[in-house]
Amino acid sequence: MTKVARCVLALGVCLAGLQAASTAHAHASSTDYLEVDARQADRMSGRWDLPVAALDWQLDLDADGDRRITWLEIDAASAAIGTLALANLRLARGGRDCELSVASPLALTEHLDEPHVALDWRASCAADGPLKIASGLTFGDATHRSLLTLVDARETTAAVLVPGDPAWQQAADGTPWWRSFAAFVAQGAFHVWIGYDHLAFLLLLILPSVLVVERGHWRAAGSAKWVVRDLALIVTAFTISHSITLALAATQTVSLPAGPIEAAIALSIVIAGVLNLRPGWSRWRLPLAFGFGFVHGFGFANALLELNVTGRSLVPVLAGFNIGVELAQLALVLVSTPLLLLLARQPIYARRLMPAMSIVTAVVGAGWLLQRLA
């Protein structure tokens, strides 16, 4: 395979991935939200918010086939929704299953601008023993997540139930902090890998790192040390700023609506793509990474704001989630940089390939921007 063919193949892979991403929401995984109040050991209660789109896939809620789910259609299927939920929710205390029932009529709510059906439930359980909570709902989605918030007499606990590990077991002496920490390290990394917009922005920042500007034109960087330094500056600036706003938003010190934040994230992709088209504009990459890092931090925080966790219980959740985000970003840098260093040796990378990838990614970002503004 010739050098040019290898470059064209790499571009084709990039385009195919971006085309697939552009047809999906930038955070495509389905998520439900399970709240459990176990302060009274033998009489528990809670709420389970289930995504309407996933329920439609499971139960075919769209009775008239007009591709719109109305409240009347949801209400007509309320018995089926309740049956589905209770059949897939298991609570046990001391090794004995609790008796579950629906506590009140269904209601509608929203999480991250997506409609969810809120189902209130109650449970009669054994009076003592460790609690076990399990969910069997996946809606046919291997990436589905159940975000669990548990309040008992001692603490508030956050956990994530996933298809491969759908149960949470309470320890006899309470939930150790490292369990929540480890769960949300994985959740932070997962949030980045399903967040095509975050990945697209970071990729656009990385693409020119293997090039330098000489007499107004791009050329391959002659030193790997220079490339590492450039990447370290860009990624560190992005990390510092998004970590600040992630902490501010997750602790509800600063609160901004999700819609404008998601639109601003899409706009950051457009701007980053355009900056890569002119070598003279590369000096703006560092301010761009730092400035829009604040915006992306609010986007990361949206995944945590849906949890009812505050105070000391939030510390391992926030720390784990942020470290997971950083690990996912580092993985992208480590995987992509050696490939880009090889590609940069070919003149076609600076002249054609890097600008083409930047244009395509910016166009995808523009599509997300229009969608989110609408």
Side-chain angles (χ1 to χ4, degrees):
M1 183 181 290
T2 66
K3 295 177 180 179
V4 173
R6 286 197 296 267
C7 292
V8 172
L9 177 60
L11 177 58
V13 171
C14 176
L15 295 179
L18 287 170
Q19 183 178 11
S22 66
T23 62
H25 191 276
H27 301 277
S29 175
S30 60
T31 305
D32 66 63
Y33 303 85
L34 177 61
E35 297 181 6
V36 179
D37 184 344
R39 285 173 291 185
Q40 188 174 350
D42 60 339
R43 295 284 177 182
M44 292 188 292
S45 61
R47 180 171 132 172
W48 203 1
D49 292 354
L50 304 169
V52 170
L55 285 171
D56 178 46
W57 180 89
Q58 187 88 31
L59 299 174
D60 195 17
L61 301 180
D62 188 14
D64 57 12
D66 65 351
R67 298 185 180 181
R68 293 172 52 202
I69 310 300
T70 66
W71 170 248
L72 290 177
E73 289 170 327
I74 293 172
D75 190 49
S78 59
I81 293 172
T83 299
L84 175 70
L86 296 187
N88 285 279
L89 178 61
R90 184 192 172 208
L91 278 77
R93 188 181 287 282
R96 288 170 285 180
D97 286 347
C98 303
E99 294 182 9
L100 290 162
S101 60
V102 176
S104 62
L106 300 180
L108 275 179
T109 187
E110 278 194 355
H111 293 276
L112 302 181
D113 296 330
E114 295 292 333
H116 284 63
V117 172
L119 181 143
D120 290 315
W121 53 267
R122 55 177 172 258
S124 176
C125 303
D128 53 30
L131 179 63
K132 183 177 182 179
I133 302 171
S135 169
L137 271 182
T138 66
F139 302 106
D141 181 1
T143 65
H144 183 80
R145 294 293 188 264
S146 295
L147 297 186
L148 168 65
T149 305
L150 168 70
V151 180
D152 63 17
R154 292 178 295 184
E155 60 187 350
T156 299
T157 301
V160 184
L161 309 180
V162 299
D165 187 15
W168 175 87
Q169 177 73 52
Q170 186 179 42
D173 57 349
T175 304
W177 65 268
W178 57 263
R179 285 183 61 186
S180 295
F181 175 81
F184 281 90
V185 168
Q187 185 67 13
F190 173 78
H191 185 76
V192 171
W193 287 117
I194 66 165
Y196 304 125
D197 44 8
H198 299 305
L199 291 175
F201 181 70
L202 189 57
L203 178 63
L204 287 171
L205 294 175
I206 292 172
L207 288 177
S209 292
V210 293
L211 303 173
V212 294
V213 180
E214 186 178 78
R215 297 178 182 177
H217 298 283
W218 293 116
R219 70 164 178 83
S223 167
K225 185 177 180 180
W226 189 95
V227 173
V228 170
R229 177 181 174 276
D230 183 74
L231 283 170
L233 284 173
I234 293 292
V235 174
T236 300
F238 184 59
T239 296
I240 290 172
S241 57
H242 78 59
S243 296
I244 291 171
T245 46
L246 171 59
L248 290 174
T251 57
Q252 300 185 25
T253 304
V254 177
S255 180
L256 294 177
I261 290 299
E262 293 299 315
I265 289 173
L267 177 62
S268 73
I269 296 168
V270 177
I271 295 174
V274 171
L275 288 184
N276 285 353
L277 301 182
R278 292 288 298 272
W281 294 342
S282 63
R283 65 182 182 275
W284 293 104
R285 288 170 54 241
L286 185 60
L288 180 77
F290 186 71
F292 273 105
F294 290 111
V295 177
H296 283 254
F298 283 111
F300 292 137
N302 285 336
L304 298 182
L305 289 175
E306 304 301 318
L307 292 168
N308 262 330
V309 181
T310 57
R312 290 185 304 172
S313 300
L314 181 60
V315 174
V317 171
L318 178 57
F321 189 86
N322 197 35
I323 289 175
V325 168
E326 308 317 326
L327 289 175
Q329 291 180 172
L330 180 61
L332 176 64
V333 172
L334 292 177
V335 169
S336 61
T337 302
L339 175 61
L340 294 178
L341 282 169
L342 289 174
L343 291 174
R345 296 177 182 176
Q346 315 304 320
I348 195 175
Y349 178 79
R351 291 201 306 262
R352 296 285 185 268
L353 190 56
M354 195 275 286
M357 288 191 287
S358 299
I359 290 171
V360 170
T361 310
V363 169
V364 172
W368 284 333
L369 177 59
L370 294 175
Q371 182 186 49
R372 294 170 187 184
L373 289 175

